[in-house]
Each structure stands twice: as C-alpha cells, then as structure tokens.
C-alpha cells in the first residue's frame, strides 16, 4: 500500500478496524442483551442458544465461500453486498416478533457479517514490513473496541429504547462502514 496517499492509507486502516469492530459489536451486544431479547420474542434459553448456533453455522458456511465470492465479485463489491445482507438481517432481527422471525433475521445477518473478520484480516495482508504491524494493530483495535463498547452501548440501547435497538442501531453504523468501504477498500 506504499503507492497510495497517506489519507487513503489511513482510511483503509480505519476500514479494517471498522469492519471487524462492527461484527464484534453486534455479536457481543446480542449476547449482552440476550435475556431482554428472549423476553421480547418469548423464547426459551434453548431456543436462543439455537439461534446463536445457527448464526455461527451460517457464518461458517459463508467463510467457505469467501474466496470464491471475492474472485467473482472483487473485494469491494463482496464487502458491499455483505454489508447489505448484514443490515437487512439487523433490520429483520430488530423487527422480529417471535422466534422464527428472529432466527431468520439472524441467519441473514450472519450471511453478511461472516465476511467482516476474514475480509479485514485479508486487507491487513496489503501491507508489508512495519506497515503490516500498524495494520495488525488496527485490526486488533477493531476487535477490542467492538467488544469493549458493546456492553455499554447495549445497556444504553436496551434501557433507552428496548432490545430491538440493539439490532436497529446497526443500520446507521453499517452505513458509515459502507461509506468507508466505498472510499478506501480496493477492488
């Protein structure tokens, strides 16, 4: 990434943090707010655990398709579509009224969110030498910020607007990350 402007390099590094941070933020917030979500959709703990397992299973399936989809679509288009699926899943989940609709929303969200960790990690490989260390730090920063802010943000969202806000808050955040992707992510 030596051949790009310092401004674009910083935006690319921020994109690495933002993508991985978005996935960790939503995952930890959903876990943090689990009892409120279960009450909102009238789900038993076993059903909620099933939704978590299905999310993970859908994400694993998408990880197997990651390379093929990137080769067909290019990185920017693939991440753009992943963000769209993630946002649609967040919307469906936030509007869910029962366990089946919640589960459907989480599956759609997983189909998109699965690309964020791997996509960010692959973007780190664009850097060489000391710059790679900086990219790895930005990757780790996204993980720590997403995980660390999730309980605070999740508690505030649940307290102020209810459990649905945990998912609906992902929509503007996803839009911000999509803007970064458009600006900084190479095809």
């Amino acid at each position: 990434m030596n051949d790009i402007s310092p401004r674009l390099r910083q935006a690319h590094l921020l994109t690495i943090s933002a993508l991985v941070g978005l996935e960790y933020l939503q995952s930890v917030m959903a876990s943090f707010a689990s009892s409120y979500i279960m009450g909102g959709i009238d789900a038993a703990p076993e059903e909620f655990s099933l939704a978590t397992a299905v999310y993970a299973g859908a994400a694993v399936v998408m990880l197997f398709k990651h390379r093929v989809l990137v080769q067909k679509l290019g990185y920017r288009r693939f991440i753009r579509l992943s963000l769209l699926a993630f946002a649609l899943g967040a919307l469906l989940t936030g509007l869910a009224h029962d366990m089946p609709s919640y589960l459907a929303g989480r599956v759609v969200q997983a189909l998109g969110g699965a690309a964020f960790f791997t996509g960010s990690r692959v973007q780190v490989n664009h850097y060489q030498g000391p710059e790679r260390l900086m990219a790895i730090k930005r990757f780790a920063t996204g993980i720590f910020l997403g995980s660390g802010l999730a309980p605070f943000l999740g508690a505030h969202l649940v307290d102020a607007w209810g459990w649905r806000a945990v998912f609906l808050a992902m929509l503007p955040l996803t839009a911000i990350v999509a803007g970064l992707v458009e600006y900084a992510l190479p095809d």
Side-chain angles (χ1 to χ4, degrees), residues 16 68 78:
I16 290 170
V68 171
F78 173 61

mmCIF file of all heavy atoms in Angstrom, residues 16 68 78:
data_model
loop_
_atom_site.group_PDB
_atom_site.id
_atom_site.type_symbol
_atom_site.label_atom_id
_atom_site.label_comp_id
_atom_site.label_asym_id
_atom_site.label_seq_id
_atom_site.Cartn_x
_atom_site.Cartn_y
_atom_site.Cartn_z
ATOM 1 N N ILE A 16 -10.402 -1.310 8.063
ATOM 2 C CA ILE A 16 -10.065 -2.604 8.668
ATOM 3 C C ILE A 16 -10.626 -2.671 10.089
ATOM 4 O O ILE A 16 -11.281 -3.650 10.468
ATOM 5 C CB ILE A 16 -8.531 -2.821 8.666
ATOM 6 C CG1 ILE A 16 -8.033 -3.052 7.238
ATOM 7 C CG2 ILE A 16 -8.133 -3.986 9.564
ATOM 8 C CD1 ILE A 16 -6.516 -3.039 7.094
ATOM 9 N N VAL A 68 -14.198 -17.742 -3.155
ATOM 10 C CA VAL A 68 -14.900 -17.870 -4.435
ATOM 11 C C VAL A 68 -15.688 -16.601 -4.738
ATOM 12 O O VAL A 68 -15.642 -16.079 -5.862
ATOM 13 C CB VAL A 68 -15.845 -19.096 -4.410
ATOM 14 C CG1 VAL A 68 -16.735 -19.135 -5.635
ATOM 15 C CG2 VAL A 68 -15.047 -20.377 -4.278
ATOM 16 N N PHE A 78 -17.934 -7.487 -2.941
ATOM 17 C CA PHE A 78 -18.285 -8.541 -1.991
ATOM 18 C C PHE A 78 -18.593 -7.971 -0.608
ATOM 19 O O PHE A 78 -19.597 -8.325 0.013
ATOM 20 C CB PHE A 78 -17.137 -9.565 -1.913
ATOM 21 C CG PHE A 78 -17.332 -10.608 -0.848
ATOM 22 C CD1 PHE A 78 -18.421 -11.458 -0.874
ATOM 23 C CD2 PHE A 78 -16.410 -10.735 0.181
ATOM 24 C CE1 PHE A 78 -18.589 -12.427 0.122
ATOM 25 C CE2 PHE A 78 -16.572 -11.694 1.166
ATOM 26 C CZ PHE A 78 -17.666 -12.541 1.139
#
